Amino acid sequence: MSAVRVFVAAGDDAARDGLEALLRGRRDVEVVGSGPAPGGGHLADPVGPDVVFWDPGAGGLARERLAAADAGGPPVVVLVADSAQAARALAGGAHGILPRDADPDVLAAAASAAAAGLVVLDPALAAPVARREPDPLVEDLTQREHQVLQLLAEGLANREIARRLSISEHTVNFHVDAILGKLGAHSRTEAVARAARLGLLIL
């Protein structure tokens, strides 16, 4: 099995160096670059990373910096300090949340899972988020929106969803926007998490 290509992002040089040191030398992970944040056009390059690990530090999260993942860039796994930061990461579009002190084996497993299109959630960090009472739907989803939502949960991109449902990508974009609005979500990942709590998904 080929190694998962990882980009390491952290605003703090020491944190970035430490994260790189944990991952380098492993056969299942290849660090292909690093920088202060997970943005940048190079991340969407066909030979770019499969996954981004981002340690935003204690200063919080910039939601717009995670938007690249929902726009077709690599999934972003955020290393967080607490459950409050975990909730903000999920709302911002993160495809995974892990504690900042996660060990190399956990990081490698998370990289493989995220690269395969799965959402990676550390149980201790995710539990407080999951226990929150979900807001009711603004409006019921249509049958087609349920189909699109299920495929979102499987990690499919809009182009793949369009192919699977034999509809245009423009129509998929329309349905995704409607799903986000009805679920009160800011990202695809947050929509899937809320839909799961509402029992709208077959997992």
Side-chain angles (χ1 to χ4, degrees), residues 143-151 156 158-168 171-172 175:
Q143 182 178 356
R144 180 63 88 185
E145 288 164 357
H146 274 287
Q147 293 173 330
V148 172
L149 177 62
Q150 187 66 48
L151 295 175
L156 272 62
N158 286 6
R159 184 174 301 176
E160 296 168 313
I161 294 173
R163 189 179 304 116
R164 182 79 65 88
L165 297 178
S166 299
I167 57 179
S168 71
T171 301
V172 174
H175 287 314

Side-chain angles (χ1 to χ4, degrees), residues 28 33 67 180-181 192:
D28 48 0
L180 295 181
V192 169

